[in-house]
Amino acid sequence: MTDKMDDVDFSAVSLEQMNIGIEKYLEKKTGVCKVTLDERNPADRHAVLSWEQRNCCLLPEDLKSFYLTSNGFHFTWSVKLDNQTVPVGKMHINRVEQLLRLDVSSDKLTHIQPSLADLDTDSDNDDPISGIEKPTFTGRNRIYELDFCDGYSKVCLVYKEAKAVPGTDDYPCFLPGVSEPTVEIWFLDRALRWHFLAASFLEYYRLMLMHLGLPQWQYAFTDIGLSAQARQWFNMYAPIRLEVDGEITEMHPEKTPTGTSVVVSTLDVTKVFKSRADRKKQAGGAQNVGQAQQGGKKKPPVSSARSQGSLINRPSQASSLAGSGKGPK
């Protein structure tokens, strides 16, 4: 990201400019329907200040400007297949009041919200793709949920403080002016593993838009990779992003799983989104054309075996007649 991108003020632009015309772009794509963007009012400045006081930390300037322009974000789009509407894309950012610290209390543990012990089982300290130190549930890390991702993962806003002072157990506090924490966006998958996504909220927001909210697009930035079904959607609607994201994995071939190849078939988009009625019409039209072509051409007469035999014997009969001196009367 350039410095110009980092200085973007969300409050100075409209919601349509924030989304860089993504709604109009998707409406022109084949098969896309039900493109829906929830219009949300700006968050109250008092609500933002209350969140900062309650959590004893300041929101990043880009995220604060976003909330003062739109209190959260929710964008969905679907695809029509065989007269059925299939939900495909989804982009979501929690409201400021829903930006909650990841809860690891023992009385609310579920398979979606893992325990602190489960999260600490990951022995790797650095992300295998970016090489950045992973978040931990310690006194120097605060983790807040930006997107629930329908339960298959979590996109988190991570505050990472400086390490403890050497020789002591003291951590710098989160107060402004004392020690500014590093704020990053991380992805927590269902295997309870951390994956780095972006160095700021603005970078993550741009990534989300460029990937059109395709299913599980965040896995493109992990050593796990996209599923076969997700790759098919990428091939149809974001093939360039699939190539660009693949370069990240190719830069670290030693850190990616070996022997995992995915066979992706090539889809004809014009055929995928035809309804059954259209297919029947097309098949019936092709059959009628074939019949018309057959009716316009006359089949050559097929001689029987007897007639073929008579034609073969005619030269011999003529020669015998010539030899005997008898000719036709």
Side-chain angles (χ1 to χ4, degrees):
M1 287 287 178
T2 62
D3 294 338
K4 184 177 180 181
M5 291 181 180
D6 293 335
D7 294 337
V8 171
D9 185 4
F10 282 102
S11 60
V13 297
S14 64
L15 190 61
E16 184 177 358
Q17 291 174 329
M18 287 170 49
N19 302 329
I20 59 175
I22 196 70
E23 186 175 2
K24 296 180 179 178
Y25 170 79
L26 283 171
E27 288 176 348
K28 297 178 181 179
K29 303 294 288 185
T30 305
V32 175
C33 62
K34 291 188 176 181
V35 180
T36 305
L37 172 63
D38 289 354
E39 297 288 343
R40 299 191 176 184
N41 297 324
D44 186 18
R45 187 174 294 271
H46 176 72
V48 175
L49 294 176
S50 298
W51 186 95
E52 294 178 336
Q53 293 176 357
R54 185 170 59 254
N55 292 277
C56 300
C57 60
L58 298 178
L59 284 172
E61 288 300 323
D62 53 1
L63 182 56
K64 183 185 297 185
S65 298
F66 172 80
Y67 279 134
L68 293 177
T69 304
S70 175
N71 190 9
F73 181 75
H74 189 76
F75 183 94
T76 58
W77 56 278
S78 304
V79 168
K80 191 173 183 181
L81 295 173
D82 286 337
N83 297 326
Q84 295 182 354
T85 302
V86 180
V88 176
K90 179 180 178 182
M91 292 176 271
H92 181 82
I93 301 293
N94 283 342
R95 300 174 183 268
V96 65
E97 57 269 16
Q98 297 173 337
L99 188 62
L100 304 177
R101 190 169 182 176
L102 202 59
D103 189 8
V104 293
S105 57
S106 59
D107 58 337
K108 295 182 180 180
L109 292 181
T110 65
H111 67 287
I112 295 175
Q113 292 184 335
S115 67
L116 177 61
D118 291 334
L119 290 169
D120 285 343
T121 57
D122 195 349
S123 59
D124 297 333
N125 295 325
D126 298 333
D127 177 59
I129 300 297
S130 64
I132 301 176
E133 183 182 3
K134 294 181 180 180
T136 57
F137 282 93
T138 62
R140 62 187 182 90
N141 284 164
R142 293 173 182 240
I143 302 173
Y144 299 90
E145 183 180 297
L146 273 176
D147 185 8
F148 181 65
C149 299
D150 294 330
Y152 67 80
S153 59
K154 291 179 184 293
V155 175
C156 300
L157 179 73
V158 179
Y159 288 79
K160 296 170 66 175
E161 266 293 353
K163 294 184 179 180
V165 179
T168 67
D169 294 331
D170 297 332
Y171 292 91
C173 61
F174 282 82
L175 296 178
V178 179
S179 177
E180 296 249 350
T182 302
V183 183
E184 299 168 341
I185 308 298
W186 285 77
F187 178 68
L188 181 63
D189 63 19
R190 289 299 299 270
L192 309 181
R193 298 174 59 212
W194 288 103
H195 307 276
F196 177 78
L197 287 180
S200 66
F201 171 76
L202 180 58
E203 289 187 12
Y204 173 75
Y205 187 81
R206 292 180 181 275
L207 283 176
M208 180 179 66
L209 293 180
M210 287 188 292
H211 289 82
L212 306 177
L214 287 167
Q216 304 178 5
W217 66 267
Q218 296 92 345
Y219 278 96
F221 296 89
T222 70
D223 56 351
I224 301 172
L226 296 169
S227 64
Q229 183 178 8
R231 283 179 174 270
Q232 294 286 16
W233 291 119
F234 267 82
N235 283 329
M236 295 169 62
Y237 293 105
I240 297 178
R241 289 307 313 177
L242 190 61
E243 296 178 4
V244 173
D245 297 341
E247 294 178 358
I248 300 177
T249 305
E250 292 175 0
M251 292 173 61
H252 305 274
E254 71 282 356
K255 298 178 182 179
T256 56
T258 58
T260 56
S261 59
V262 180
V263 179
V264 181
S265 60
T266 304
L267 295 179
D268 188 350
V269 181
T270 58
K271 294 182 179 180
V272 171
F273 299 105
K274 286 185 178 180
S275 62
R276 296 179 181 177
D278 295 336
R279 293 174 185 172
K280 290 181 179 179
K281 290 180 180 179
Q282 184 178 7
Q287 185 177 2
N288 294 334
V289 170
Q291 292 177 356
Q293 291 178 351
Q294 292 179 0
K297 295 181 180 180
K298 295 183 179 180
K299 295 183 179 180
V302 178
S303 56
S304 62
R306 180 178 298 178
S307 60
Q308 290 179 358
S310 61
L311 290 174
I312 295 174
N313 295 330
R314 283 180 184 177
S316 58
Q317 293 176 357
S319 59
S320 61
L321 291 173
S324 60
K326 296 181 180 180
K329 294 181 181 181

